[in-house]
Amino acid sequence: MLGIPLPRDPMGPGAARYARERERMVEEQLVRRGITDPRVLDAMRKVPRHLFVEEALRDRAYGDYPLPIGEGQTISQPYMVGIMTQLLQLTGREKVLEIGTGSGYQTAVLAELARRVCSVERIPSLAARARATLEALGYTNVWVRTADGTFGWPDEAPFDRILVSAASPSVPEPLFEQLAEGGRMVLPVGDTVSQILTVVERIEGEMRTTVDAGCVFVKLIGKYGWEG
Ligand code: SAH
């Protein structure tokens, strides 16, 4: 045995194969379905989604579906991450609030595209794992906190963008209050079976709402969401 250590691979074993799967995911699931923002496409070409799921699910990480991440929660389908991120219209200068960190995958995509990301997750074990994954990948512009995200993150407000990745019965009031003037929020609004992706803008203090595609998310559980 020569004692030569193998080079450390920060993207994990199989990195090259996963990179090809990622490229295919972007072409087949995002570009072909009309995601056009080049910054969003590049970010999703870059972030190693397979490292945000447990090892046994890694080979399915680039499939066209959500996957379980424990605690009855899921990592969102790649297309859903793409469309929500595109709807946020990020330029790189924004301070973003995310509610529902989950695996931290969407958080990483936001971290690639914004100045700073504050993310709130109500389940401590998920928050801890997401924090560890994001740290291992070298993200330094992300803060993950365990709390009921329907209250937002008052100490860090206002936010230029807010993304909620759990289904809400309505637009939680504290989140609109913490949205900066000219800011945008994207969230699924509806019942617990299905929702509509909703874009909320704050224009001269007033709420302007437009709707996009239908979607299915796990419940937003909290004071301004659903009861647990
Ligand atoms: N973007 C995540 C989605 C995870 S699923 C990903 O792709 O991995 C939605 C997450 O929202 C779950 O982890 C759930 O625990 C969390 N959640 C639900 N209600 C919440 C609340 N009130 N505050 C913060 N997180 C919440």
Side-chain angles (χ1 to χ4, degrees), residues 125-136:
S125 60
L126 294 181
R129 202 167 55 205
R131 206 180 281 123
T133 310
L134 291 162
E135 205 179 290

Side-chain angles (χ1 to χ4, degrees), residues 15-26:
R17 176 167 54 88
Y18 287 124
R20 284 193 298 276
E21 286 191 29
R22 209 150 50 236
E23 186 57 45
R24 204 168 77 195
M25 168 193 88
V26 167

Side-chain angles (χ1 to χ4, degrees), residues 49 52 69-71 73-77 81 98-107 120-123 126 145 147-151 163 165-166 217-223 225:
R49 180 172 164 94
F52 291 85
I69 54 170
E71 309 280 355
Q73 309 302 321
T74 53
I75 178 173
S76 305
Q77 177 195 21
V81 173
E98 178 192 38
I99 308 302
T101 318
S103 66
Y105 172 68
Q106 168 80 72
T107 322
V120 187
E121 169 57 52
R122 65 178 278 275
I123 301 177
L126 294 181
R145 171 186 187 194
D148 172 2
T150 66
F151 287 101
L163 188 151
S165 41
F217 277 84
V218 298
K219 279 196 287 186
L220 181 73
I221 297 173
K223 174 86 173 21

